[in-house]
Amino acid sequence: MRGTLSLRQRLFALILTPLVLMAILLGFWRYTVAHDTASKLFDRTLLSAGLAISRDVAISEGDALLPSTRDLIRDASGGEVFYHATGPDGIYVTGYAYPPSGGVRSQAPYHPIFFEASYRGEPVRVLRLTERQTIGNLEGDATVTAWQRISDRNAFAYELAIRAAALIIALLATLSLVVWFAVEIGLRPLLDLEDAIAARSPDDLSTIKRAVPEETRGIVETLNRLFGRVEASISNHQVFISDAAHQLRNPAAAVQSLAEAARNAATEEERRRRIDELVLAARSAARVTEQLLSLDRLQNTDGEDTFEDFDLGSLVKQTCADLAPTILVAGIDFELVTTSSSLPVRADRFFVSEALKNLIDNALKHGGKGLSRIVVLTDKDDGMATVTVEDDGFGMSPDVASIAFSRFSQVEPSDGSGLGLAIAASVAGRHDGFLRINPSDVGASLTVGLPLAEKD
């Protein structure tokens, strides 16, 4: 899909985004530290300059500063330093004539005072230092005022911050290159896996045996399971189509044969008899087709999207009412015995009805010539709603369950398709229920069970 970031870009963004944010915070912190460091450094330098001026004034007895002192102050301070010195009697000694004013007088008279003020329209940092001195024959408090432009300090702090930012940016750039190419190298096994899968033919659903990193092993295992299910599904469909074609061949041939016989009948009576046989063959073919479609739908329906809550007893009554005319016309007694309590289940109504029809149809078709009675019973058994279909026909032993419940297989030859019990067993399994053949002295008895729905 266009506009979607690649995995490489996602990893690149996820790794670098927090690093860039951290770099911004670190840069801000580094600038703050640089500014504080510059302030402390310049204050100490200003104090050193004030002490040097004070000592030089005392040694020179009020004369101008020595050139060596001026050079020392200029070199050590990192910027231009202005100064103003007064002698013991408060008279001007040396320096600039009008120093900045301000500052709060300290309780300790000889403690240096730092404050900020304005000098010739520029903000400055000021030091006022008072010491007891003797100049000539005068003794008293001498004051030295030294100041420096704040812009010089900010320029120094800015220079420190720029150097730190340049270092951080260089590290981020280097890290970006490393991450970009490292992610590419790390994703190479996935790209190789993609190429290997893309190179496969559509019919190749074999498992992937390529070595992959631990983090992607789950994806490969999931793909292998998917390939296995798809291969099994395709195989089942191929078997189903083959079996369905085989099962439909005989009814279709019978319908065609009976139709030709009806067309070529010599007498009207024979034509009617052939037409009746043709109708029965067509119904049989239609029933086989319905069963095949039901089996295919059952195998290709997943989940519980079609499940609903209903009373199994009511569904059994409706199903028996639908089949009763056909059974009674055949001269067979048909009885329904229901439990007095309701049988709430959560299931697929269509498939459960189809399973019930197949159980009754199985008794009808496989009961043999001695079949005279079919009974349907509903009940509850250990949290399961059960429906039992009994007949007095040929009979069926629990030992043949594996054969009876297999598709297109029959315990004894009959006119059935071999799909009825297979569909019923599949429906029961899909609903976490069961289908079993009960021991019976006379005829056959089969029970299908579905879990009872939990009451809210």
Side-chain angles (χ1 to χ4, degrees):
M1 182 177 179
R2 293 182 178 179
T4 303
L5 293 176
S6 66
L7 182 58
R8 183 184 186 186
Q9 292 171 331
R10 286 175 179 270
L11 290 174
F12 185 76
L14 288 174
I15 294 174
L16 284 188
T17 298
L19 292 178
V20 170
L21 294 177
M22 183 58 67
I24 293 174
L25 294 176
L26 182 61
F28 177 77
W29 172 79
R30 192 69 189 88
Y31 175 78
T32 304
V33 171
H35 188 274
D36 293 341
T37 301
S39 297
K40 293 177 181 179
L41 179 63
F42 276 88
D43 282 351
R44 292 177 181 177
T45 303
L46 201 59
L47 178 60
S48 299
L51 293 173
I53 293 170
S54 178
R55 300 297 182 270
D56 197 58
V57 169
I59 293 173
S60 63
E61 296 185 352
D63 293 336
L65 296 183
L66 296 174
S68 59
T69 302
R70 289 198 300 271
D71 294 340
L72 178 63
I73 293 173
R74 183 177 63 252
D75 295 339
S77 58
E80 187 176 3
V81 175
F82 305 92
Y83 57 92
H84 175 88
T86 59
D89 55 356
I91 62 173
Y92 169 74
V93 175
T94 186
Y96 293 82
Y98 301 102
S101 59
V104 180
R105 184 178 297 276
S106 175
Q107 295 181 354
Y110 302 111
H111 192 275
I113 300 173
F114 290 94
F115 61 93
E116 294 181 3
S118 179
Y119 180 73
R120 295 182 180 179
E122 289 186 278
V124 292
R125 180 71 169 173
V126 184
L127 165 68
R128 182 177 295 141
L129 179 64
T130 301
E131 291 187 315
R132 194 75 177 176
Q133 292 185 354
T134 300
I135 302 178
N137 58 355
L138 296 176
E139 182 178 354
D141 292 340
T143 301
V144 174
T145 304
W147 63 95
Q148 190 176 36
R149 297 186 186 93
I150 292 180
S151 59
D152 293 340
R153 298 179 170 217
N154 292 339
F156 180 76
Y158 181 75
E159 183 179 357
L160 291 179
I162 287 296
R163 292 179 180 177
L167 179 60
I168 293 174
I169 292 173
L171 290 175
L172 279 178
T174 303
L175 184 59
S176 299
L177 292 175
V178 171
V179 169
W180 182 258
F181 290 104
V183 169
E184 181 181 13
I185 295 173
L187 293 178
R188 188 166 295 167
L190 285 180
L191 299 177
D192 294 341
L193 177 62
E194 178 186 4
D195 295 338
I197 295 176
R200 286 188 171 198
S201 66
D203 298 328
D204 186 4
L205 295 176
S206 60
T207 58
I208 300 171
K209 299 180 180 179
R210 179 180 294 269
V212 293
E214 180 68 25
E215 293 77 8
T216 59
R217 191 168 298 167
I219 298 177
V220 174
E221 291 176 353
T222 302
L223 280 175
N224 286 335
R225 288 195 295 269
L226 176 61
F227 287 164
R229 289 198 296 267
V230 171
E231 188 173 22
S233 177
I234 293 175
S235 177
N236 290 336
H237 271 81
Q238 291 174 343
V239 172
F240 177 80
I241 292 172
S242 176
D243 292 341
H246 177 74
Q247 291 296 321
L248 289 174
R249 184 183 296 114
N250 292 335
V255 169
Q256 181 181 0
S257 176
L258 289 173
E260 293 176 352
R263 183 189 63 185
N264 300 326
T267 63
E268 186 65 26
E269 182 181 356
E270 182 181 359
R271 179 179 290 107
R272 290 195 189 97
R273 183 168 56 83
R274 295 296 184 184
I275 290 175
D276 290 340
E277 293 175 351
L278 177 60
V279 170
L280 292 176
R283 288 177 178 174
S284 177
R287 180 57 181 165
V288 172
T289 303
E290 290 177 1
Q291 288 180 323
L292 287 171
L293 291 175
S294 297
L295 185 60
D296 182 68
R297 180 181 173 187
L298 184 62
Q299 291 177 340
N300 292 279
T301 302
D302 296 327
E304 299 183 1
D305 296 339
T306 59
F307 282 25
E308 58 180 301
D309 295 322
F310 61 91
D311 180 38
L312 181 60
S314 299
L315 182 63
V316 172
K317 290 179 182 179
Q318 182 62 46
T319 303
C320 290
D322 294 339
L323 297 178
T326 302
I327 300 174
L328 295 175
V329 166
I332 300 172
D333 293 337
F334 188 46
E335 182 181 0
L336 172 62
V337 180
T338 60
T339 180
S340 58
S341 57
S342 62
L343 300 173
V345 296
R346 180 169 181 77
D348 187 308
R349 185 188 294 269
F350 172 81
F351 283 135
V352 173
S353 176
E354 189 69 15
L356 296 175
K357 290 178 181 178
N358 286 329
L359 289 179
I360 298 173
D361 187 64
N362 177 78
L364 186 63
K365 289 184 177 181
H366 298 277
K369 295 181 179 181
L371 179 66
S372 62
R373 184 169 180 265
I374 298 176
V375 180
V376 179
L377 306 97
T378 63
D379 201 355
K380 290 182 180 180
D381 182 18
D382 193 21
M384 304 291 285
T386 62
V387 180
T388 302
V389 178
E390 298 179 348
D391 65 72
D392 60 352
F394 182 77
M396 186 181 300
S397 170
D399 298 336
V400 298
S402 59
I403 299 175
F405 296 163
S406 298
R407 294 184 302 173
F408 307 112
S409 63
Q410 298 179 354
V411 178
E412 293 291 339
S414 69
D415 60 350
S417 63
L419 289 173
L421 295 185
I423 292 175
S426 297
V427 171
R430 185 170 183 262
H431 292 82
D432 296 328
F434 64 85
L435 175 64
R436 66 170 178 249
I437 301 175
N438 304 313
S440 177
D441 296 334
V442 178
S445 174
L446 289 90
T447 299
V448 60
L450 301 179
L452 289 168
E454 297 181 359
K455 296 182 179 181
D456 295 336

